[in-house]
Amino acid sequence: VHGDDFVSVGHDKDLNWLKVDIEKKYELKTQILGPEKQDLQEVRVLNRVLTWNKDGIHYEADPRHAELILKGLNIKVDSKGASVPGSREEVDLNVNSPTLSGYMATQYRALVTRAIYLAQDRPDISFTAKELSRYMANPTELAMTKLKRLGRYLKDHMRYVNIFRYQTNPGRISVYSDTDWAGCKVP
């Protein structure tokens, strides 16, 4: 059995117990990210960079995926960028936009799949990636135009770091939700 990049979070005592228990059956290479002198201050997990510092934990998405999306869309360094990943206008999905075929449809699906993967670590593009995925079965020219918009946004926003600041336990969490699925007009 070979496995890569198993991540666990916990107190030192519990992590040491887990390590010892797993090492009874498997060979491990361990990296510990933490505040102690013997701990690493930066590690890579699936090419994501995690850094421990006085502000909190910095979690940087893998920028290679953004680079590959730009390459797939043939967006050059001197191309015009975009300040937001999607557009605000309401789009009627009943508009007859020509369907992509062959290589272009395959390319669309591959790039949107990569955007969905990247969106796990980049909340700034998650909604746009979700909207682009609606067209996976039948990609259209309109959908490709929206994908190019995302590409232009990524051109100007290649790197993205989530910062998880140190917090105290709030004791209670209140959650609210809407009942109209954020106004989505498409079922």
Side-chain angles (χ1 to χ4, degrees):
V1 175
H2 177 80
D4 279 332
D5 300 318
F6 180 86
V7 178
S8 54
V9 178
H11 296 286
D12 287 344
K13 176 182 74 147
D14 300 322
L15 293 173
N16 287 332
W17 170 85
L18 180 63
K19 181 180 182 226
V20 168
D21 206 45
I22 292 175
E23 282 178 332
K24 290 176 184 173
K25 192 153 185 145
Y26 301 103
E27 179 183 325
L28 293 180
K29 295 178 186 172
T30 306
Q31 296 182 20
I32 298 175
L33 177 71
E36 305 299 328
K37 211 174 211 180
Q38 71 273 13
D39 297 339
L40 296 173
Q41 303 303 302
E42 182 174 294
V43 296
R44 285 186 174 265
V45 178
L46 297 173
N47 219 36
R48 296 163 173 103
V49 180
L50 285 88
T51 308
W52 188 291
N53 65 35
K54 62 180 173 57
D55 298 332
I57 297 172
H58 293 216
Y59 179 101
E60 182 177 354
D62 181 356
R64 292 180 311 160
H65 295 290
E67 292 167 7
L68 290 168
I69 290 170
L70 294 177
K71 184 178 178 183
L73 292 170
N74 200 25
I75 295 177
K76 305 291 183 205
V77 175
D78 59 345
S79 298
K80 182 180 176 188
S83 60
V84 294
S87 55
R88 248 185 95 101
E89 78 269 355
E90 290 286 327
V91 176
D92 182 1
L93 294 179
N94 296 322
V95 170
N96 291 328
S97 178
T99 303
L100 299 176
S101 61
Y103 173 78
M104 290 302 292
T106 301
Q107 181 75 347
Y108 177 86
R109 291 181 184 110
L111 294 174
V112 170
T113 301
R114 190 169 295 279
I116 292 167
Y117 182 80
L118 183 59
Q120 296 177 91
D121 302 323
R122 296 203 43 175
D124 61 329
I125 68 165
S126 61
F127 181 79
T128 301
K130 186 258 313 174
E131 290 296 306
L132 291 169
S133 71
R134 291 177 182 249
Y135 299 95
M136 292 290 269
N138 296 305
T140 64
E141 288 181 9
L142 175 63
M144 183 59 87
T145 300
K146 291 175 173 236
L147 178 58
K148 288 178 183 176
R149 167 95 185 191
L150 173 62
R152 290 195 337 268
Y153 172 78
L154 291 173
K155 179 204 159 284
D156 284 352
H157 303 87
M158 189 70 74
R159 300 182 74 133
Y160 188 93
V161 178
N162 292 295
I163 302 174
F164 298 95
R165 300 195 189 284
Y166 301 117
Q167 305 173 30
T168 58
N169 185 343
R172 179 179 175 177
I173 298 174
S174 298
V175 178
Y176 302 92
S177 68
D178 62 1
T179 57
D180 70 347
W181 296 275
C184 181
K185 306 224 184 303
V186 180

